[in-house]
Amino acid sequence: LNINGQSYFSDAPPDTPLLWVIREDLRLTGTRYGCGLEQCGSCMVLIDGHPEYSCSRELGSIAGRSVTTVEGLADGDRLHPLQQAFLDEQAGQCGYCMSGILISAKALLDLYGYTDKDGDGWRDQPDGKPLKIEYATQPDQLSRQLIEHWKRNMDALGVRIDFKVAKWPENLKSSRAGKLMMWGVGWSAGAPDG
């Protein structure tokens, strides 16, 4: 087995779920058992860079393939930027399915070609154009704080982000016209009196 760049031997039967070997034999407990039905994603790993459910993936099907668990995202003691961003923003909620979310997010950025093609430290689109997100927001104090969080974490991931600051009615008009990529309007619903 090649897991997180290291070779391992397992004498488990070939029909053993990969998740069992990862957790029980290798003691890599970041990948978790959730539903066993390929629904929740808490068992997600990367197999040759593709996100796969390890709860239903048989051990015999991964011979000669490379498996990455959430532990393998880090570079030694240095967390992957996605892991660091989730930690910095306390995005874990209960944290049980966090490993699957991180694996899936990395796959979305890497697998579909959103990598740094020209070496400038920023991710690019598959066609080589800069990957840039435009985020619409309001000119208030809470929105300015959220801009700082978004900017810091997108910079860490190598994703350019531009902020379109406008008053709520202007953003609503742009939204209805299909001119907004992202709009942080939902934040106000999660804050009391906000």
Side-chain angles (χ1 to χ4, degrees):
L1 301 173
N2 179 344
I3 299 182
N4 298 333
Q6 295 186 13
S7 294
Y8 295 95
F9 172 77
S10 175
D11 58 1
D15 62 347
T16 302
L18 174 60
L19 176 62
W20 269 236
V21 174
I22 290 170
R23 289 186 60 82
E24 302 302 322
D25 296 349
L26 305 180
R27 297 291 187 212
L28 297 171
T29 57
T31 306
R32 296 185 171 100
Y33 179 83
C35 66
L37 300 170
E38 297 185 358
Q39 299 292 311
C40 72
S42 58
C43 68
M44 197 68 71
V45 297
L46 296 175
I47 299 178
D48 293 336
H50 298 271
E52 301 274 349
Y53 297 98
S54 65
C55 69
S56 58
R57 189 63 182 250
E58 292 183 353
L59 182 62
S61 72
I62 64 158
R65 310 210 36 212
S66 176
V67 177
T68 304
T69 68
V70 70
E71 292 91 346
L73 296 181
D75 184 11
D77 290 338
R78 191 171 147 255
L79 293 177
H80 185 278
L82 280 168
Q83 292 170 308
Q84 190 62 55
F86 273 61
L87 183 64
D88 290 347
E89 299 307 321
Q90 300 177 19
Q93 299 173 33
C94 82
Y96 195 81
C97 62
M98 185 62 57
S99 60
I101 293 170
L102 288 165
I103 288 288
S104 297
K106 180 170 179 8
L108 280 172
L109 289 171
D110 294 346
L111 183 66
Y112 299 105
Y114 298 112
T115 58
D116 181 8
K117 295 178 183 6
D118 56 13
D120 66 356
W122 296 100
R123 292 177 183 267
D124 300 300
Q125 295 181 47
D127 64 4
K129 293 178 184 173
L131 174 62
K132 188 187 302 186
I133 295 173
E134 187 176 279
Y135 185 90
T137 186
Q138 289 72 239
D140 57 61
Q141 182 61 32
L142 178 60
S143 295
R144 285 191 291 277
Q145 291 173 351
L146 291 170
I147 285 172
E148 291 175 21
H149 288 289
W150 275 94
K151 178 81 172 124
R152 182 177 61 245
N153 288 300
M154 292 295 110
D155 285 353
L157 296 174
V159 176
R160 294 172 185 91
I161 186 166
D162 290 333
F163 298 94
K164 179 183 181 238
V165 179
K167 293 185 178 179
W168 199 88
E170 295 166 27
N171 281 335
L172 180 61
K173 184 177 178 180
S174 294
S175 174
R176 287 183 174 160
K179 296 181 180 178
L180 297 183
M181 183 182 285
M182 290 176 59
W183 182 17
V185 70
W187 290 105
S188 62
D193 302 323

